[in-house]
Amino acid sequence: MKKVITYGTFDLFHYGHMKLLERAKNLGDYLIVGLSTDEFNLQKQKKSHHSYEYRKFILETIDFVNEVIPEKNWEQKISDIQKYDIDTFVIGDDWKGKFDFLKEYCEVIYLPRTEGISTTQIKKDMASL
């Protein structure tokens, strides 16, 4: 069985998130999502609109997401890859090159973001209402 892992905040869940997860799952048989905890988001100086529990609930309802684990810090990726016997690490291409150090442990793939939609843009649009 080929295992794939990806990470993210997945706040204000939208079509772009769904497409990224679908493409990640198509790269293997089992998809694990490392979901940023509220505490980790604060460390990143990022505030989620929805709580970790709410975001996790949404992810767990998606058929092609097999497992959701908490992402508590930047450093856990190597240990997650080893612990879960991961074959492929997938992330959006806006992170291109930032996770190349993981190539020592698994395949690393940067997927293009879905054009025309982003959580950042949704938040900006909501703020201007």
Side-chain angles (χ1 to χ4, degrees):
M1 176 181 354
K2 187 172 181 184
K3 291 184 178 179
V4 178
I5 196 165
T6 191
Y7 292 84
T9 301
F10 297 98
D11 194 26
L12 301 178
F13 197 85
H14 54 70
Y15 177 76
H17 291 137
M18 185 68 79
K19 292 303 293 177
L20 180 79
L21 293 170
E22 178 185 47
R23 288 181 287 158
K25 175 61 183 264
N26 286 338
L27 295 170
D29 305 301
Y30 192 87
L31 177 61
I32 298 173
V33 177
L35 179 62
S36 298
T37 62
D38 296 331
E39 296 78 17
F40 183 43
N41 279 335
L42 287 175
Q43 290 175 26
K44 297 187 284 184
Q45 287 142 16
K46 191 174 189 180
K47 176 142 176 44
S48 295
H49 182 77
H50 295 293
S51 70
Y52 174 82
E53 291 78 19
Y54 179 88
R55 294 178 286 118
K56 184 176 187 272
F57 172 76
I58 289 172
L59 289 169
E60 288 175 335
T61 64
I62 300 168
D63 287 342
F64 42 82
V65 172
N66 298 102
E67 189 173 350
V68 179
I69 61 171
E71 180 187 24
K72 298 178 181 179
N73 58 64
W74 293 112
E75 296 78 26
Q76 79 182 68
K77 289 175 179 61
I78 292 172
S79 61
D80 285 349
I81 288 166
Q82 293 171 330
K83 177 181 179 179
Y84 296 101
D85 196 27
I86 298 299
D87 299 290
T88 306
F89 170 89
V90 176
I91 198 106
D93 64 359
D94 52 327
W95 291 96
K96 194 161 187 94
K98 300 268 196 274
F99 295 104
D100 286 353
F101 67 95
L102 295 175
K103 290 179 179 180
E104 181 180 334
Y105 304 95
C106 66
E107 179 181 22
V108 175
I109 297 176
Y110 299 97
L111 292 176
R113 295 287 182 160
T114 305
E115 286 191 37
I117 189 159
S118 77
T119 302
T120 302
Q121 189 59 52
I122 290 170
K123 286 180 178 181
K124 285 179 185 176
D125 291 349
M126 288 173 58
S128 67
L129 293 177

